[in-house]
């Protein structure tokens, strides 16, 4: 096994253990006790978002020149961060598959499949790690998406905290999700001659799937939190 695959396996096991122990660390409120696995799942996802989103942002802040070469070079730890994220997405895929009905989770399962394939290519080839790091900037917004779910489950919708989180969630959605995906699509288009056909096909299909999914989610957030 390559070190990258060992990291993926270790990350999978670590997030699995975290998921199992979270109910003791963060006991669910009465309103969430009927869906305990979901409570644990969201907190596990929040932990990953803080780790990966914060790590990706730190990487670009500490290494501003990284964006000039997203294929062959990357700062120390970037490859490890992408491998850890693959482990998390595998764990979350298994968790949803075991605990949620398919018609309720198919969108996220599909999303995770695309991410696992794209990030897996970066981990195995030790290339496009910088590109994967750009994709992890999306997780900065995911922090507030997961906080929103936690507040909903805790029945704290009519609070200042929820309202403030909704505003930050929408702002980070535009900056770190929609703008990031648009930048990645533009990068793929401009560098199509320098990217092998198979890798270009994987990236293009990934962007073609992610972009409409995120636009639909943005519409749902607007409708739910601002235009009821």
């Amino acid at each position: 096994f390559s070190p990258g695959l060992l990291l993926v396996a270790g990350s999978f096991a670590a997030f699995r253990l975290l998921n199992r122990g979270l109910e003791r660390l963060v006991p669910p409120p009465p309103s969430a006790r009927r869906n305990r696995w979901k409570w644990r799942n969201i907190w596990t996802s929040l932990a990953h978002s803080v780790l990966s989103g914060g790590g990706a942002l730190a990487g670009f802040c500490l290494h501003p020149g990284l964006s000039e070469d997203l294929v062959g070079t990357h700062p120390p730890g970037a490859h490890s961060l992408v491998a850890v994220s693959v482990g998390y997405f595998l764990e979350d895929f298994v968790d949803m598959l075991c605990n949620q009905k398919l018609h309720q989770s198919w969108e996220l399962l599909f999303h995770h499949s695309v991410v696992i394939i794209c990030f897996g290519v970066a981990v195995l080839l030790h290339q496009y790690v910088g590109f994967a790091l750009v994709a992890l900037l999306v997780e900065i917004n995911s922090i507030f998406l997961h906080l929103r779910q936690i507040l909903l489950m805790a029945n704290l919708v009519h609070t200042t905290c929820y309202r403030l989180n909704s505003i930050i969630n929408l702002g980070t959605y535009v900056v770190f999700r929609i703008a990031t995906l648009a930048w990645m699509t533009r990068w793929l288009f401009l560098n199509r001659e320098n990217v092998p056909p198979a890798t270009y096909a994987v990236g293009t299909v990934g962007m073609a799937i992610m972009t409409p999914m995120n636009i639909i989610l943005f519409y749902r957030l607007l409708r739910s939190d601002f235009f009821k």
Side-chain angles (χ1 to χ4, degrees), residues 75-129:
H79 181 266
S80 299
L81 186 65
V82 176
V84 166
S85 287
V86 174
Y88 158 75
F89 283 112
L90 283 168
E91 189 279 332
D92 200 45
F93 188 98
V94 171
D95 193 39
M96 286 189 291
L97 205 60
C98 294
N99 294 289
Q100 201 170 27
K101 293 178 181 178
L102 190 60
H103 75 272
Q104 295 175 315
S105 61
W106 72 268
E107 288 182 52
L108 275 175
L109 290 174
F110 189 55
H111 167 274
H112 284 15
S113 300
V114 174
V115 174
I116 289 165
I117 292 169
C118 293
F119 281 18
V121 169
V123 171
L124 291 172
L125 299 182
H126 285 260
Q127 288 188 313
Y128 308 100
V129 174

Side-chain angles (χ1 to χ4, degrees), residues 57-76:
L57 188 62
F60 282 105
C61 288
L62 295 172
H63 304 273
L66 175 62
S67 58
E68 295 175 9
D69 182 11
L70 299 178
V71 179
T73 62
H74 49 82

Side-chain angles (χ1 to χ4, degrees):
F1 288 100
S2 70
L5 290 178
L6 288 175
L7 265 174
V8 169
S11 171
F12 178 91
F15 278 108
R16 200 70 185 151
L17 286 171
L18 177 65
N19 185 289
R20 294 294 177 85
L22 265 170
E23 200 164 329
R24 294 181 181 179
L25 294 171
V26 192
S31 56
R33 285 173 189 164
R34 278 187 282 182
N35 205 353
R36 291 176 181 270
W37 88 265
K38 185 66 176 176
W39 181 257
R40 295 193 306 269
N41 179 275
I42 296 169
W43 277 99
T44 306
S45 300
L46 177 61
H48 168 259
S49 294
V50 171
L51 173 66
S52 58
L57 188 62
F60 282 105
C61 288
L62 295 172
H63 304 273
L66 175 62
S67 58
E68 295 175 9
D69 182 11
L70 299 178
V71 179
T73 62
H74 49 82
H79 181 266
S80 299
L81 186 65
V82 176
V84 166
S85 287
V86 174
Y88 158 75
F89 283 112
L90 283 168
E91 189 279 332
D92 200 45
F93 188 98
V94 171
D95 193 39
M96 286 189 291
L97 205 60
C98 294
N99 294 289
Q100 201 170 27
K101 293 178 181 178
L102 190 60
H103 75 272
Q104 295 175 315
S105 61
W106 72 268
E107 288 182 52
L108 275 175
L109 290 174
F110 189 55
H111 167 274
H112 284 15
S113 300
V114 174
V115 174
I116 289 165
I117 292 169
C118 293
F119 281 18
V121 169
V123 171
L124 291 172
L125 299 182
H126 285 260
Q127 288 188 313
Y128 308 100
V129 174
F131 191 74
L133 210 66
V134 174
L136 284 177
L137 290 173
V138 169
E139 292 298 320
I140 294 171
N141 168 250
S142 294
I143 294 171
F144 302 100
L145 274 175
H146 298 318
L147 283 174
R148 178 182 180 275
Q149 287 183 292
I150 289 167
L151 292 168
L152 281 169
M153 290 194 73
N155 201 21
L156 296 171
V157 179
H158 304 293
T159 61
T160 303
C161 185
Y162 182 88
R163 190 65 181 168
L164 181 62
N165 184 76
S166 295
I167 295 168
I168 298 172
N169 182 32
L170 204 67
T172 55
Y173 200 104
V174 172
V175 175
F176 290 106
R177 193 172 287 268
I178 293 177
T180 297
L181 288 171
W183 189 93
M184 291 169 69
T185 304
R186 176 180 175 273
W187 185 91
L188 270 175
F189 178 76
L190 293 176
N191 292 273
R192 61 191 182 280
E193 294 180 359
N194 303 319
V195 178
T199 308
Y200 181 76
V202 170
T204 304
V205 170
M207 290 299 99
I209 292 168
M210 293 296 185
T211 301
M213 285 182 71
N214 281 282
I215 291 171
I216 291 168
L217 179 56
F218 184 70
Y219 167 72
R220 289 175 180 172
L221 287 170
L222 277 176
R223 188 181 61 183
S224 175
D225 288 354
F226 295 94
F227 298 131
K228 280 188 177 179

